[in-house]
Amino acid sequence: MSTALANDRLQKRFDKWDADGNGVLERGDFQEEAAKIAHGFGKAPDSREVQALKDAFNGLFDYLAREAGVGPDGSLSKDQFLQVTGNLIFEGGEANFNRVLGPVVKAIIGICDKNDDGKINSSEFEAWLGGIGVNRTEAKEAFQQVDTNGDGELSLDELLAAVREFHFGRLDVELLG
Ligand SMILES: [Ca+2]
Ligand SMILES: [Ca+2]
Ligand SMILES: [Ca+2]
């Protein structure tokens, strides 16, 4: 896995999350990202699932701000973001990664989980990836890759592993939009 690819993926993530395009990440960017995801899935902004997603993004921002040492009302430069997320993904270990990203992935599952069984089946997954611009054929392929135990459902653990593998360059499925 090349450091260049990892950096490239994290830089894209930064650009995408910098919703107001001012070159730094602040809490407002994360709230906007949560609102955008909710809108993409046609969820009412005041629904329980959307509130959970906003809380999760708030928690993620708290973590990044704390690690970068900028304080809860601060902002992260691109360099700070690359440093903190690079540490999280490549140095911090899987348990820490899951603790930090778990709430966000869980909240997105909550929004996509139409039949409310806590897992994502293939049609729920197609709608998820469709919402971030991935076509059906690609979504089908991605589903097989993410469903590592082959039971036809994607669990929180499988989805978290997929997000991590994406940043390691071992998987080409981008789940977070
Ligand atoms: Ca910004
Ligand atoms: Ca489901
Ligand atoms: Ca599975």
Side-chain angles (χ1 to χ4, degrees):
M1 157 78 201
S2 73
T3 315
L5 175 63
N7 251 325
D8 184 55
R9 289 187 168 177
L10 287 173
Q11 294 212 21
K12 285 199 179 118
R13 163 77 31 226
F14 180 93
D15 293 339
K16 181 154 185 303
W17 276 350
D18 180 20
D20 63 1
N22 68 347
V24 292
L25 280 187
E26 53 269 288
R27 193 176 296 278
D29 291 326
F30 277 44
Q31 290 305 289
E32 202 159 316
E33 177 67 14
K36 214 160 59 187
I37 292 174
H39 183 75
F41 289 106
K43 289 278 174 186
D46 56 355
S47 65
R48 183 175 51 82
E49 293 95 333
V50 174
Q51 195 50 55
L53 185 63
K54 286 185 175 166
D55 290 347
F57 268 103
N58 250 328
L60 180 59
F61 184 79
D62 286 339
Y63 172 85
L64 295 174
R66 194 168 57 239
E67 290 294 306
V70 298
D73 299 319
S75 55
L76 283 87
S77 68
K78 191 178 253 187
D79 280 349
Q80 286 172 318
F81 177 79
L82 292 177
Q83 174 88 43
V84 171
T85 52
N87 281 345
L88 173 66
I89 294 166
F90 303 110
E91 316 281 339
E94 192 171 354
N96 189 50
F97 179 86
N98 289 353
R99 194 162 48 240
V100 174
L101 266 305
V104 171
V105 174
K106 210 171 172 171
I108 298 179
I109 291 174
I111 282 181
C112 301
D113 183 16
K114 288 200 190 96
N115 68 1
D116 220 12
D117 65 353
K119 292 180 171 189
I120 298 299
N121 63 29
S122 58
S123 77
E124 290 165 346
F125 191 64
E126 272 172 35
W128 173 336
L129 289 199
I132 58 174
V134 177
N135 72 40
R136 280 191 75 194
T137 314
E138 284 176 313
K140 275 201 164 61
E141 278 175 28
F143 188 89
Q144 309 291 340
Q145 288 182 302
V146 178
D147 183 18
T148 46
N149 72 353
D151 71 347
E153 301 275 352
L154 306 182
S155 64
L156 173 62
D157 284 350
E158 286 172 332
L159 287 161
L160 267 172
V163 173
R164 198 155 175 266
E165 294 288 290
F166 172 78
H167 282 291
F168 273 103
R170 295 195 287 248
L171 195 72
D172 284 327
V173 191
E174 168 63 296
L175 295 173
L176 298 181

